[in-house]
Amino acid sequence: MDLTPLKASVKLRARVDFDDDDSDIELSLSAAVLDVLSAAEVEIPEDITTLSDDLTFAIVDQAVMLYDSRGPDIERPLGLSMAASRIVSRYRGVKAS
């Protein structure tokens, strides 16, 4: 899955103006996609741009939280960011018929 369309949003929200941390941002994005979509009980799409705007925002917010807590002295935060948690709660248990 190509996460390039979301990388610019993460860099903007995390206030990253350079390309040195692109690999860290991509890693944070990959983890955020798995965190958010598994919590929302939504299958991972082939094209990330097909997700709804609120799930996309939740992924970006989660990725920013993970990016901000990177480093050897900081443990990975447990759970979702506050915004992602609220968005995901709307999707839990909702199944298309």
Side-chain angles (χ1 to χ4, degrees), residues 43-56:
E43 290 185 32
I44 299 172
E46 291 288 325
D47 183 7
I48 198 74
T49 61
T50 62
L51 285 174
S52 63
D53 290 341
D54 59 344
L55 281 176
T56 300

Side-chain angles (χ1 to χ4, degrees), residues 16-81:
V16 175
D17 297 329
F18 46 87
D19 296 333
D20 295 349
D21 283 350
D22 279 2
S23 61
D24 288 339
I25 289 173
E26 290 167 4
L27 195 62
S28 297
L29 259 172
S30 297
V33 167
L34 293 176
D35 290 348
V36 170
L37 295 185
S38 64
E41 300 174 354
V42 173
E43 290 185 32
I44 299 172
E46 291 288 325
D47 183 7
I48 198 74
T49 61
T50 62
L51 285 174
S52 63
D53 290 341
D54 59 344
L55 281 176
T56 300
F57 179 82
I59 291 169
V60 168
D61 194 64
Q62 179 73 5
V64 170
M65 182 185 77
L66 294 174
Y67 175 78
D68 284 344
S69 63
R70 72 198 182 285
D73 298 335
I74 302 172
E75 292 184 27
R76 184 183 192 275
L78 298 176
L80 299 174
S81 67

Side-chain angles (χ1 to χ4, degrees), residues 3-19:
L3 298 174
T4 306
L6 300 182
K7 188 164 57 170
S9 296
V10 172
K11 288 177 84 167
L12 180 65
R13 287 191 45 117
R15 297 182 178 162
V16 175
D17 297 329
F18 46 87
D19 296 333

